[in-house]
Each structure stands twice: as structure tokens, then as C-alpha cells.
Amino acid sequence: MASHESQTGRLSGLFASPDTSSFTEFLGAYSPGLVPGRRSLPASVSAGEEIPHGTTIVAVAFPGGVVMAGDRRATAGHMIAQRDIEKVFRADEFSAIAIAGTAGIGIEMVRLFQVELEHYEKREGRTLSIEGKANRLATMVRQNLGMAMQGLAVVPLFAGYDEVRDVGRIFSYDPAGGRYEERDFHSIGSGSVFARGALKKLYRPDLSAEDAALVCVQALYDAADDDSATGGPDLTRRIFPVVASVTADGYRRLGEDEVGALAQTVVDGRYDSPGGPTAPLR
């Protein structure tokens, strides 16, 4: 009875006067099982059940902001598990997050990160700096290391608008929570090596937001061309990549018609040039 009362008192204290501005730390103290990385591995996974995985994500910085895009395919082994999964999300008003890897855990991590940023803002009365957001996400990735070691890795890509520098910035991670700032562009996921080749070829420092979005769609098309786990634009089903921009005006997800027009432009161009547009040699 005394133990129950002590536990009740501890939890009441957590709600009445939390000691941290981190919602993840609060949740871990209140109910550790709700933190994705602290759960036990399901028996079905131990038995070899295939878990849906998502790829590929690209991000391109341009003067005054950044564009992030992701394909829509999730795979389970050699099967297409879902054709229209979404992997790019609004993190807060001035940042975006996308995931590659174990889809279910990744989406939970995104939702927890969204609450983490909102909780901090409400508790502290101000938003985190973009470095602070990137560091908080690194901590969350590190908490999933146990799952990653058992094959359920999640690797996010984080990008946002830096209000102090007036630039778009991109951060990548490894499964152990290492955080790395990328320059100009980056890609993650199984198709990343092919997407990054396209980005390297097409990137220019003076890209407009519209051109950066087109570069992202071109890169995803190249990834889908060589990586079976990456889905290309599906014109018949009208399933297109998720494309979002983050600027001084905030986060904006491009509309279906906008992305459809970009996808159509890319597909039409491939009839004449299957390898895609070429970069100048000088």
C-alpha cells in the first residue's frame, strides 16, 4: 500500500512540477514503455517476420531555405508493403523531418519529436534554435540504439530554416545518434547513392525554391531507376513524392497538383533523355 502511494506521489509530482523541458525525458520517467526505443522486441520479429521499411529521402538547400522530398514506397523484404506511405513531415513551423528505415518506429519517432518541440516551446516560452532541435533529435535516435542493433534501425534527415543566418540547413544522423551537418544537399535511404549522384550533378548555389523542388524530384526518379526499394512517380495512380519547403515564411508542403506537374515534367524529359538532364562541363 505504501509503495503504491509512493508511486502515485511520484507521478503526481512529475505532472505538477516536471524537472525538464524535454517531453521525451518526462515520458521516459512517467511511462518508459511509451518511448519507442525502450520496448521489447516483438516475438514475430524474432521469428523473422519482415517489417516495412521506407526509403529514399533527399534535401536541397537554396538561398533562403531548404526543400525536402521523399518517395512513397515502403518495402517488406522483396515485397512492396505500401505504395503511398509518407516519410516527410512538418517538425515545427521552421523545420522538417523525414525518416528512412523501420517505418513504424520511424513514424513514432517523428510524432514524439513533434511533441518534444511543442512541449519545449510551451514550457520555455521560446523555440529551440535549429542546432538545439538537431541535438534533441540526435538524443532520440540514440535512445533507439538497442532496437537498431536488433535490425530495427531508423535514420532521420532533419532540415530547417535558420532564422539567425537566413539560410536553410540540413542535418543527417547515424543509427547511434551521431549528428552531422551537411552542405548544400544530402540523401538517405537505400536509393541515396543514386539520388546523391543526381543531386551532385544538378545542384547550383543559386537555385530557386521551384528549381530545388524539381532537382529533388529528378534525384528521386534516378534513385527509383536503380533501386528497387525506391518508388518513382506513379502517374496512373497519381502517387507522387512528398515535397516540402521551409523558408522564412515557414513550412509548406507542396500541393498534389504542384508535385504532379513536377513529376510530369521529369517523366516527359526522360523520353528524350532517359538518364536525365546533364550538368555543364564548366
Side-chain angles (χ1 to χ4, degrees):
M1 183 69 175
S3 176
H4 174 73
E5 290 177 353
S6 174
Q7 176 75 354
T8 302
R10 184 183 70 83
L11 295 179
S12 298
L14 280 172
F15 281 101
S17 182
D19 295 326
T20 176
S21 59
S22 169
F23 181 79
T24 305
E25 291 180 10
F26 168 77
L27 186 62
Y30 172 64
S31 183
L34 293 178
V35 179
R38 299 191 187 181
R39 295 177 186 159
S40 300
L41 192 66
S44 59
V45 177
S46 301
E49 179 180 318
E50 295 286 359
I51 301 296
H53 281 65
T55 58
T56 298
I57 308 298
V58 297
V60 173
F62 62 90
V66 63
V67 170
M68 182 179 283
D71 81 303
R72 304 292 295 278
R73 178 174 292 177
T75 58
H78 297 292
M79 300 290 292
I80 296 176
Q82 189 173 345
R83 298 180 187 276
D84 60 353
I85 190 172
E86 297 193 3
K87 311 167 196 174
V88 178
F89 306 89
R90 178 187 186 273
D92 69 357
E93 185 179 1
F94 293 108
S95 62
I97 179 174
I99 54 103
T102 307
I105 294 177
I107 291 171
E108 281 194 78
M109 184 181 292
V110 166
R111 290 171 178 164
L112 188 57
F113 184 58
Q114 291 168 332
V115 177
E116 176 86 2
L117 299 185
E118 186 175 351
H119 176 80
Y120 180 91
E121 184 175 352
K122 288 182 177 179
R123 181 165 169 79
E124 300 296 327
R126 60 186 176 86
T127 59
L128 274 166
S129 66
I130 192 165
E131 288 93 349
K133 297 171 189 176
N135 289 338
R136 288 288 177 101
L137 183 55
T139 300
M140 295 176 65
V141 175
R142 193 173 303 116
Q143 290 173 343
N144 192 58
L145 182 58
M147 289 290 193
M149 296 294 289
Q150 298 178 79
L152 300 180
V154 175
V155 181
L157 187 63
F158 176 69
Y161 171 72
D162 188 327
E163 298 176 79
V164 177
R165 300 187 191 176
D166 185 32
V167 295
R169 298 173 67 182
I170 303 168
F171 297 87
S172 66
Y173 301 82
D174 63 36
R179 191 214 78 173
Y180 315 95
E181 183 164 5
E182 307 294 342
R183 295 188 60 181
D184 303 330
F185 56 82
H186 195 65
S187 177
I188 61 172
S190 65
S192 62
V193 63
F194 309 111
R196 205 172 305 170
L199 294 173
K200 186 182 294 186
K201 178 177 65 174
L202 299 175
Y203 175 79
R204 301 191 316 273
D206 60 346
L207 287 171
S208 66
E210 294 76 13
D211 287 342
L214 181 59
V215 166
C216 285
V217 177
Q218 291 277 14
L220 289 175
Y221 191 102
D222 279 346
D225 202 29
D226 288 296
D227 173 47
S228 62
T230 304
D234 191 332
L235 301 182
T236 56
R237 296 184 178 91
R238 295 197 62 77
I239 299 174
F240 306 120
V242 174
V243 183
S245 67
V246 189
T247 65
D249 295 325
Y251 175 95
R252 185 177 82 88
R253 173 171 168 165
L254 275 63
E256 200 75 5
D257 290 342
E258 291 178 90
V259 183
L262 292 174
Q264 190 67 61
T265 298
V266 171
V267 172
D268 289 346
R270 299 290 171 134
Y271 284 109
D272 296 325
S273 180
T278 57
L281 295 177
R282 59 181 180 84

